[in-house]
């Protein structure tokens, strides 16, 4: 697993929070240990969002990271 800088992790967690609530930060940190880059992390976390529309919205909000 590659190190993803803390600012990027924070941005991802903040984007995820409206969809999953306070657990977003924990999920982001845990998932970051198992992926190779920010794009993989975003897609792994998107899988946690039940709504297809919300999943697309989450990924679109982070498109500039990858």
């Amino acid at each position: 697993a590659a190190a993803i800088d803390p600012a990027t992790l924070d941005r991802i967690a903040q984007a995820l929070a409206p969809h999953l609530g306070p657990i977003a930060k924990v999920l982001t940190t845990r998932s970051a240990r198992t992926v190779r880059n920010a794009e993989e992390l975003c897609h792994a976390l998107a899988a946690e969002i039940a709504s297809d529309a919300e999943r697309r919205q989450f990924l679109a909000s982070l498109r500039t990271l990858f």
Side-chain angles (χ1 to χ4, degrees):
I4 300 170
D5 71 272
T8 300
L9 288 176
D10 194 47
R11 181 171 170 206
I12 293 169
Q14 286 178 12
L16 187 62
H19 305 286
L20 296 183
I23 194 73
K25 180 86 171 157
V26 174
L27 282 175
T28 301
T29 303
R30 284 185 187 161
S31 297
R33 297 181 192 137
T34 64
V35 297
R36 291 177 292 190
N37 56 46
E39 182 176 6
E40 274 189 23
L41 177 58
C42 291
H43 285 283
L45 293 170
E48 301 290 334
I49 301 172
S51 161
D52 201 40
E54 286 188 33
R55 193 176 312 116
R56 285 193 303 272
Q57 180 185 19
F58 168 71
L59 289 172
S61 73
L62 296 168
R63 189 74 58 207
T64 58
L65 293 179
F66 49 86

